[in-house]
């Protein structure tokens, strides 16, 4: 018998589960997330191992979903300085790198950049001839001044050759410095893609710390002979080595894990997923078993980016959300929360703060803590608060639906106990006793993923050849991320004609998944 462990670190709780060979949950826990993250991971890991009593030698794989990269950007901590090489002079000189970035972030990352000749037009022609002597000089100027390098070329999603050549040159000149190239990270749109690449380059210290902490937590518990993975934000996994190259792909993996876990628990491929935590509620859409991807630019820590992210709507409502009676008789719901202190501060747990959990208990829709402690709450106040909670969820759900038709909803998360039995626009609400640890389940059941997008001109390049080429590139990504080549299969193909470009220019995006390599 072999076992897999899934761990997901959220803002309030760190969840962990153990699955057996039949994918049955044999142990689960929810521990408080700690300031140093690692302690919370260790506590959750220790608890599930104690619950299950499994032979540690039979644990083959451990998966971790972490918020460390997101936190580092938001909190401006532990980030590396970055030197940017942009291929596209003189055409792009009017908007330089780091434009419209928060000033504190620019200072932290050094704001160092060089605009050099190169880049492509949308038809594949050079903007200007690339000058490798110019690039050598720029790279030598970076030596000793920055921790990592971001290389960005205009329309590199059409042809990444220039970026790849500059990367080789940077390695020759600067040695073992982490290098990020934009064609492997972002989508169309130079500035947003450049921003994502710079952020990726800035996160290498953070991801190294995660890898070391993750490994140490496992070693301390005696889990030594296992594969270790981090979750990606498209619902798949990647090895630690791959994550060190693309740490930005961990951003947004928490909600994605919940959506995948919800799909597993409900045995559904198409539904809305509502994940209610201690502080926020995240709503996503399940399509063909995976989260719907956002088509909009994503703001990360005040910076516009265009790397892939799940389409998630977050609202400030969770189990620990504070409920207040206003002077005019109205009720205010949040957005502040007692978070992981709910077991000390909420009324039903002996505290002095009215929370959404207290309202749910007073309404009789859930039984936690001591119900007697909310019996004295004013009935009108309780009903007003409950209606407002329902309204917040219903409004958010309506924004994520693509039609007026009723849809199914899968309810997960530790704060799911505050949700009403019925919600407008919903046909059926699916609940599961393991829904509180759906995020850890999602991390555990995931496969290795690869995703690639590229621009082709169908007038010059046969459509069938373009689809085959992109699929092969996606397979290569999956193999680099740790997939068994023989197990890789196609999940999704998306073609997007670019009306503003000539020659039937089309963006092709392919996603594949595969099983991880066995030890």
């Amino acid at each position: 018998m072999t076992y897999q462990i899934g761990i997901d670190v959220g803002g309030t709780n760190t969840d962990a589960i153990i699955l057996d060979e039949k994918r049955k949950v044999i142990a689960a826990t929810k521990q408080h997330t700690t300031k140093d993250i690692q302690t919370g991971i260790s506590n959750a890991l220790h608890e599930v191992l104690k619950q299950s009593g499994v032979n540690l030698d039979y644990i083959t794989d451990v998966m971790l979903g972490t918020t460390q990269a997101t936190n580092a950007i938001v909190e401006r901590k532990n980030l590396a300085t970055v030197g940017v090489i942009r291929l596209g002079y003189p055409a792009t000189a009017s908007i330089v790198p780091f434009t419209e970035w928060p000033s504190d972030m620019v200072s932290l990352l050094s704001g160092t950049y060089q605009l050099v000749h190169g880049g492509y037009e949308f038809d594949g022609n050079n903007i200007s001839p690339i000058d490798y002597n110019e690039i050598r000089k720029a790279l030598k100027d970076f030596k000793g001044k920055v921790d990592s390098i971001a290389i960005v070329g205009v329309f590199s999603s059409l042809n990444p050759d220039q970026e790849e050549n500059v990367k080789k040159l940077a390695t020759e000149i600067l040695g073992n410095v982490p290098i990020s190239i934009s064609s492997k990270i972002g989508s169309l749109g130079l500035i947003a893609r450049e921003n994502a690449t710079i952020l990726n380059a800035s996160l290498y210290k953070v991801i190294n710390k995660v890898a070391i902490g993750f490994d140490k937590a496992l070693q301390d518990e005696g889990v030594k002979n296992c594969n270790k993975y981090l979750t990606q934000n498209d619902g798949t996994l990647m090895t630690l080595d791959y994550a060190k190259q693309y740490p930005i792909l961990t951003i947004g993996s928490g909600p994605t894990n919940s959506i995948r876990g919800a799909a597993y628990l409900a045995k559904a491929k198409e539904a809305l997923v509502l994940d209610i935590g201690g502080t926020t509620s995240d709503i996503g859409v399940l399509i063909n078993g995976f989260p719907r991807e956002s088509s909009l630019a994503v703001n990360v820590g005040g910076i516009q980016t265009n790397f892939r992210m799940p389409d998630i709507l977050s609202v400030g409502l969770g189990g620990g959300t504070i409920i207040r009676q206003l002077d005019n008789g109205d009720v205010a719901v949040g957005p502040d929360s007692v978070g992981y202190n709910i077991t000390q501060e909420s009324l039903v747990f002996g505290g002095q703060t009215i929370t959404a959990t207290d309202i749910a208990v007073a309404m009789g829709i859930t039984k936690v803590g001591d119900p007697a402690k909310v019996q004295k709450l004013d009935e009108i106040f309780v009903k007003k608060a409950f209606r407002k909670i329902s309204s917040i969820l219903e409004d958010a759900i309506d924004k994520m639906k693509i039609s007026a038709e009723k849809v199914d909803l899968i309810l997960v998360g530790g704060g799911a106990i505050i949700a009403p039995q019925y919600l407008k626009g919903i046909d059926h609400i699916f609940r599961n006793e393991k829904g509180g640890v759906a995020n850890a389940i999602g991390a555990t059941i995931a496969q290795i993923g690869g995703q690639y997008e590229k621009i082709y001109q169908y007038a010059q390049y046969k459509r069938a050849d373009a689809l085959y080429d992109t699929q092969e590139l996606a397979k290569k990504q999956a193999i680099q991320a740790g997939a068994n080549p023989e197990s890789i299969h196609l999940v999704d193909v998306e073609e997007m004609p670019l009306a503003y470009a000539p020659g039937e220019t089309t963006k092709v995006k392919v996603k594949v998944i595969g099983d991880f390599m066995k030890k």
Side-chain angles (χ1 to χ4, degrees):
M1 180 70 76
T2 59
Y3 305 93
Q4 295 174 312
I5 297 176
I7 305 168
D8 187 87
V9 181
T12 303
N13 293 307
T14 296
D15 300 343
I17 65 154
I18 298 181
L19 289 185
D20 64 16
E21 282 180 346
K22 297 177 181 177
R23 290 201 160 184
K24 178 184 175 184
V25 178
I26 62 169
T29 189
K30 188 176 287 289
Q31 301 285 324
H32 293 326
T33 295
T34 55
K35 192 171 183 180
D36 67 343
I37 305 294
Q38 185 185 324
T39 301
I41 293 172
S42 296
N43 292 343
L45 183 61
H46 180 78
E47 180 59 28
V48 288
L49 290 174
K50 186 174 77 171
Q51 278 182 31
S52 65
V54 299
N55 186 325
L56 302 183
D57 292 336
Y58 295 158
I59 296 170
T60 57
D61 308 283
V62 184
M63 297 80 167
L64 174 68
T66 177
T67 59
Q68 286 276 55
T70 308
N71 294 347
I73 293 170
V74 172
E75 297 174 9
R76 314 302 203 229
K77 291 180 180 177
N78 304 316
L79 297 172
T81 54
V82 182
V84 183
I85 296 283
R86 185 200 285 174
L87 300 152
Y89 186 81
T92 67
S94 59
I95 303 177
V96 299
F98 297 102
T99 295
E100 294 190 353
W101 278 52
S103 57
D104 61 334
M105 194 67 165
V106 177
S107 300
L108 198 61
L109 269 57
S110 82
T112 303
Y113 65 86
Q114 290 281 357
L115 304 183
V116 298
H117 291 83
Y120 292 105
E121 303 282 3
F122 59 75
D123 60 1
N125 291 320
N126 289 328
I127 290 176
S128 58
I130 192 165
D131 183 344
Y132 287 106
N133 287 327
E134 176 188 38
I135 293 167
R136 283 189 181 89
K137 183 178 182 305
L139 289 168
K140 287 176 182 177
D141 287 345
F142 284 167
K143 202 163 189 175
K145 296 179 182 176
V146 295
D147 301 317
S148 60
I149 303 294
I151 300 168
V152 187
V154 180
F155 275 107
S156 60
S157 47
L158 180 71
N159 185 350
D161 289 356
Q162 289 184 355
E163 287 188 352
E164 295 282 5
N165 290 337
V166 175
K167 181 180 179 180
K168 289 177 185 175
L169 201 58
T171 301
E172 289 174 16
I173 293 170
L174 300 175
N176 193 29
V177 171
I179 300 168
S180 299
I181 62 175
S182 76
S183 55
K184 294 286 183 70
I185 293 165
S187 185
L188 286 174
L190 174 67
I191 301 303
R193 173 162 44 89
E194 180 175 76
N195 291 347
T197 309
I198 295 170
L199 286 179
N200 188 75
S202 75
L203 289 167
Y204 90 90
K205 289 182 179 179
V206 175
I207 209 67
N208 281 340
K209 187 177 178 181
V210 168
I212 292 168
F214 185 26
D215 193 58
K216 186 175 187 307
L218 292 170
Q219 293 288 331
D220 289 348
E221 289 296 328
V223 182
K224 298 176 181 178
N225 188 32
C226 66
N227 297 310
K228 295 177 279 287
Y229 301 95
L230 293 185
T231 57
Q232 301 191 58
N233 55 16
D234 67 345
T236 62
L237 299 169
M238 55 184 166
T239 63
L240 294 187
D241 285 342
Y242 191 80
K244 288 174 183 177
Q245 295 178 60
Y246 307 107
I248 200 167
L249 296 182
T250 65
I251 293 175
S253 63
T256 299
N257 290 339
S258 293
I259 293 172
R260 289 281 289 145
Y264 173 80
L265 291 171
K267 295 180 171 54
K269 289 198 169 185
E270 314 284 333
L272 285 182
V273 176
L274 174 56
D275 178 15
I276 306 179
T279 304
T280 61
S281 293
D282 296 327
I283 302 158
V285 182
L286 192 62
I287 296 177
N288 195 26
F290 285 89
R292 183 173 73 193
E293 199 170 303
S294 175
S295 59
L296 303 174
V298 178
N299 188 296
V300 181
I303 301 147
Q304 286 292 105
T305 68
N306 65 0
F307 70 103
R308 68 169 195 237
M309 281 283 280
D311 187 8
I312 301 292
L313 177 62
S314 296
V315 293
L317 174 65
T321 295
I322 298 172
I323 313 296
R324 296 179 177 86
Q325 173 85 61
L326 302 180
D327 293 338
N328 63 1
D330 201 358
V331 173
V333 176
D336 51 339
S337 168
V338 297
Y340 59 75
N341 290 320
I342 188 169
T343 52
Q344 288 82 46
E345 297 191 29
S346 188
L347 294 184
V348 292
F349 295 112
Q352 302 297 315
T353 306
I354 302 172
T355 66
T357 297
D358 295 317
I359 299 300
V361 173
M363 287 292 295
I365 65 169
T366 189
K367 294 180 181 178
V368 294
D370 183 0
K373 295 186 181 297
V374 293
Q375 285 180 352
K376 292 183 180 179
L377 287 177
D378 180 73
E379 186 177 345
I380 295 175
F381 164 73
V382 169
K383 288 183 177 178
K384 278 185 178 181
F386 188 67
R387 280 197 296 270
K388 196 149 192 177
I389 288 169
S390 300
S391 178
I392 290 170
L393 294 176
E394 288 168 349
D395 288 348
I397 287 168
D398 193 55
K399 288 176 182 176
M400 294 300 284
K401 290 171 64 178
I402 58 173
S403 76
E405 298 294 318
K406 287 189 174 183
V407 297
D408 290 338
L409 177 72
I410 308 170
L411 192 60
V412 296
I417 56 174
I418 72 169
Q421 297 297 317
Y422 304 99
L423 289 163
K424 291 177 185 176
I426 297 300
D427 187 26
H428 174 70
I429 298 178
F430 181 90
R431 302 169 191 256
N432 187 286
E433 62 179 6
K434 296 290 194 302
V437 289
N439 45 8
I441 292 173
T444 315
I445 65 166
Q447 293 173 287
I448 304 292
Q451 187 166 298
Y452 207 94
E453 63 179 63
K454 192 173 177 180
I455 299 170
Y456 300 89
Q457 288 184 306
Y458 282 175
Q460 300 176 14
Y461 206 101
K462 289 182 181 178
R463 177 176 177 270
D465 292 342
L467 296 179
Y468 177 80
D469 180 49
T470 313
Q471 188 171 335
E472 289 301 302
L473 290 167
K475 282 182 179 179
K476 186 177 178 181
Q477 291 278 56
I479 292 167
Q480 289 174 352
N484 180 344
E486 296 177 3
S487 69
I488 296 172
H489 59 278
L490 184 65
V491 174
D492 190 41
V493 177
E494 197 176 299
E495 295 174 273
M496 184 183 297
L498 304 180
Y500 56 84
E504 298 178 56
T505 301
T506 304
K507 182 177 78 170
V508 179
K509 182 163 69 174
V510 169
K511 180 174 181 176
V512 299
I513 58 171
D515 299 327
F516 32 77
M517 300 291 287
K518 297 292 183 182
K519 269 194 175 290

